[in-house]
Amino acid sequence: MSYLSTEPAEHQRPDVYSVSQLNRRARQLLEAHFPLLWVEGEISNISFPASGHWYFVLKDETAQVRCAMFKMRNGLVGFRPKNGQHVLIRCRVGLYENRGDFQLIAEHMEEAGHGALQKQFDALKAKLHGEGLFDDKHKKALPALPERIGIVTSPTGAAIHDILTVLKRRFPAIPVTIYPCPVQGAEAATAIASAIQLANRDNRCDVLIVGRGGGSIEDLWSFNEETVAREIFASKIPVVSAVGHEVDFTIADFVADMRAATPSAAGEILSPDARELHADFNMLRRQLERSLLRAIRSRQQQVDHLYKRLRHPGERLQQNRQRLIFLRSRLDRQMTAEQSLRRSRLNDVVSRLHRNHPSNRLLQYREQNRSLQLRLTRAINHLLQQKQARWKNAAQLLNSVSPLQTLGRGYAILTDEQKHVIRKVATVTAGDKISATLTDGELLCRIDEIKLTTENEKI
């Protein structure tokens, strides 16, 4: 049996959560609405239980939060954290349901100072790379032998001492201009950028060294600032970046036209070795001396050869006179032979002209015409005789087969009224009119009776 409730609707009980349901729902909401995030703070109350997990509190000046980092993740951390250490963690937001404690589940941990700077470094590097500031097409060529080197660095640091020592040892003749500026601290980046601008305004140097000695990442950070990077990129003067030690890399190294591993290396790159130049000069001088000696010997041989060929002008004139006499004699012979040849050709032409004179040609044509007329007359007469003989033979043959000859022997040609030749009696009937053609005329007849010839009678 069921009963209807008579209690008003506003007094019906709402949904009721158990504590477990509430904590589970809260955990689900936190995990769904907070993505993987970074949190920075100071470690406190850290513990390392036998399970291998880490449990600690992360706090700042005004708040704190419980954190846990499980064994499979903390094994990847490169250091052992301790109380009071400032760290940066990548974590998920969660809730420990059994106690209802809000907590962070750490996935990654690094020391806060170095990690934050590294993130800034990577972000700026990616930004400038995307803008093309690192592209090789923007790199300017360094001078082979600088006329003046500008150095942007601290005037009291180790870097300037190292660079000047190298230049003095390798090539002390290169003048140097120092653009002093702090290379460490809050104002260092602005000062470095201003020094690069000043060097470009002076336009006294044809290459710049921008750098400092070694140090921590914080000490070198001025050369990772965007202002310094953009000023190096905008410089009209080629820039060599020389920051820290060989393992240190800064944003300035990527933007500069060339990176030197150390300040001393920058001095090595920009200064030729005076001893090597002196050795090269001596080698080139010896090569030039040998080339000059070879050239002089070659010219001497040419002079000796020409001297041997040189003869007295009188001898040359006598030789030319003899040659002129020989050429004149040969010319006379050639002219005589040519005249004889031309005269023979002229006589031949005259003879041919006489033979081809119009009067002579007319006589020839007249004789040819007379001969051709005689031949034509004989041919026509012969042809007429042949045609007459053939005509007589044809007439005799035609006369021999002519119907008139048959009629002359007493025969007649019978035709009906339509002038058809009557060959058989079967083609006519009694009473038909027929015609009988004789040698001297035609008879008109009527058929009274038809008599057929029997086979015996035919025979």
Side-chain angles (χ1 to χ4, degrees), residues 162-214:
D162 293 343
I163 294 172
L164 294 178
T165 300
V166 171
L167 294 178
K168 183 178 180 180
R169 172 174 53 84
R170 290 175 59 85
F171 205 86
I174 299 178
V176 173
T177 299
I178 300 174
Y179 296 93
C181 62
V183 292
Q184 183 175 338
E187 304 298 329
T190 303
I192 295 170
S194 299
I196 296 173
Q197 292 178 357
L198 177 60
N200 277 268
R201 287 197 301 271
D202 286 348
N203 199 25
R204 300 172 58 195
C205 306
D206 48 1
V207 67
L208 290 178
I209 298 176
V210 178
R212 58 154 290 159

Side-chain angles (χ1 to χ4, degrees), residues 33 36 62 87 233 290 293 320 334 354 383 422 437 443:
H33 288 81
L36 198 66
T62 59
V87 296
F233 182 78
R290 289 194 294 268
L293 287 175
N320 290 338
Q334 289 181 350
H354 179 71
L383 183 60
I422 300 172
T437 302
L443 298 177

Side-chain angles (χ1 to χ4, degrees), residues 2-46:
S2 62
Y3 298 91
L4 294 175
S5 175
T6 59
E7 189 176 0
E10 61 270 15
H11 296 294
Q12 290 183 359
R13 296 178 62 186
D15 293 338
V16 177
Y17 287 90
S18 67
V19 175
S20 298
Q21 291 174 334
L22 177 62
N23 286 352
R24 185 178 303 111
R25 180 60 176 162
R27 179 182 61 80
Q28 292 172 348
L29 289 173
L30 287 172
E31 291 178 351
H33 288 81
F34 281 94
L36 198 66
L37 49 82
W38 289 86
V39 178
E40 183 179 357
E42 180 184 330
I43 293 178
S44 176
N45 296 328
I46 189 166

Side-chain angles (χ1 to χ4, degrees), residues 212-215 220 242-249 253 259-263:
R212 58 154 290 159
L220 305 180
V243 181
H245 301 300
E246 186 171 356
V247 296
D248 297 323
F249 278 87
D253 294 331
R259 174 188 180 263
T262 63

Side-chain angles (χ1 to χ4, degrees), residues 89-128:
I89 64 172
R90 187 173 69 244
C91 58
R92 293 180 287 104
V93 178
L95 186 130
Y96 185 52
E97 296 181 21
N98 293 343
R99 291 197 301 266
D101 289 341
F102 173 74
Q103 67 176 4
L104 302 179
I105 307 300
E107 300 285 337
H108 171 77
M109 179 186 293
E110 60 186 48
E111 297 181 67
H114 182 271
L117 292 178
Q118 186 64 41
K119 287 177 61 178
Q120 295 179 35
F121 179 91
D122 293 338
L124 180 59
K125 181 180 176 183
K127 175 184 177 182
L128 299 182

